[in-house]
Amino acid sequence: MQFKTNAKCAGCSASILKAVRDRFPDLEWSLDLSTADKVLECHGMPDDSEMAARVVKTIEETGFKGSWITRGESNL
């Protein structure tokens, strides 16, 4: 699964990654600041709207914006 974020720097990335890793410790996460969408990616999580909503809520709890990138929407 992939999510657009409004992360701007390594500190932003670290905050978001800590939050999702704490909430979903069994999953592998990465955040790419070099893309326009500042893509947060979860490797191995199936596309599921309920899970996506939980991830977006976790991102928002850190003070950032996040939205789920559905398969047809990805620019990567």
Side-chain angles (χ1 to χ4, degrees):
M1 290 181 91
Q2 296 180 327
F3 301 85
K4 293 179 189 176
T5 72
N6 65 337
K8 296 189 184 332
C9 66
C12 301
S13 175
S15 294
I16 292 170
L17 287 171
K18 180 181 180 339
V20 293
R21 287 176 178 154
D22 286 350
R23 175 102 11 115
F24 309 98
D26 297 330
L27 299 171
E28 182 181 338
W29 296 92
S30 63
L31 200 155
D32 187 354
L33 293 174
S34 68
T35 63
D37 290 333
K38 312 302 186 212
V39 175
L40 171 68
E41 185 169 5
C42 180
H43 308 278
M45 180 187 288
D47 285 351
D48 174 271
S49 60
E50 185 176 317
M51 184 61 86
R54 291 178 59 203
V55 173
V56 168
K57 181 179 180 189
T58 302
I59 295 167
E60 291 173 348
E61 287 172 352
T62 65
F64 297 94
K65 294 180 183 177
S67 63
W68 181 27
I69 301 172
T70 58
R71 287 184 186 253
E73 184 182 350
S74 178
N75 294 330
L76 303 176

